[in-house]
Amino acid sequence: MSKKWVVLCSTAITAVYAAGFFTTESQASIEPLPQTQVQLDTSQSNRMYNDGVFTGMGSNRRGSIQVKVTIKEDRITDVEISDFEMHYAESDVVDLPNEVVQTQNPQVDNVSGATYSTAAFEDAVQDALAQAMNA
């Protein structure tokens, strides 16, 4: 192989690695909703999240997903995919909103064949939860 090809391939691999690292790092900086959450005091000041419907957006090189997350008394009561503009079919991730409501966590099981859609969905839910945070 010529040196040009070695340099080109090495550069491409480095770019892919760097993109994955920065994406993972930015996702890790957002604190996920705890798996179990028991709260006896229902006053708004002691809640982690404000009640309401919050919109979040997640995107990557394969497209974007927008979700609406409904919060009531620090519980995720509904998640709806409101806009789906990914390279793959929406039917691949149609069950993810129910998974978030059941687990009360934005981290969902990866859908085989729809990794980018799953990641964009998780980012969108994280974004909505970040907006719902009680300051």
Side-chain angles (χ1 to χ4, degrees):
M1 250 202 218
S2 72
K3 280 187 172 184
K4 267 186 185 178
W5 281 107
V6 172
V7 170
L8 182 63
C9 290
S10 297
T11 303
I13 290 170
T14 301
V16 169
Y17 173 78
F21 174 78
F22 290 118
T23 300
T24 304
E25 184 178 34
S26 67
Q27 289 173 352
S29 67
I30 301 172
E31 186 175 316
L33 184 65
Q35 284 283 351
T36 56
Q37 191 170 346
V38 177
Q39 203 150 67
L40 300 176
D41 186 357
T42 59
S43 67
Q44 186 66 25
S45 62
N46 290 332
R47 291 188 185 162
M48 187 174 195
Y49 298 101
N50 292 311
D51 288 351
V53 179
F54 301 90
T55 302
M57 179 68 102
S59 63
N60 55 46
R61 66 184 181 149
R62 298 288 187 202
S64 64
I65 295 178
Q66 183 176 1
V67 298
K68 291 183 181 178
V69 177
T70 304
I71 305 285
K72 183 161 173 64
E73 296 179 2
D74 263 359
R75 304 268 311 152
I76 300 171
T77 59
D78 188 43
V79 178
E80 173 188 333
I81 298 174
S82 55
D83 189 31
F84 187 89
E85 296 181 23
M86 296 296 294
H87 178 72
Y88 304 103
E90 184 174 355
S91 61
D92 293 339
V93 295
V94 74
D95 294 328
L96 296 181
N98 290 334
E99 187 176 337
V100 170
V101 173
Q102 288 176 356
T103 64
Q104 293 295 301
N105 192 310
Q107 304 299 318
V108 293
D109 291 334
N110 193 35
V111 177
S112 180
T115 303
Y116 286 100
S117 297
T118 303
F121 175 81
E122 284 182 353
D123 291 346
V125 174
Q126 287 279 21
D127 183 38
L129 291 175
Q131 293 177 39
M133 285 294 245
N134 189 7

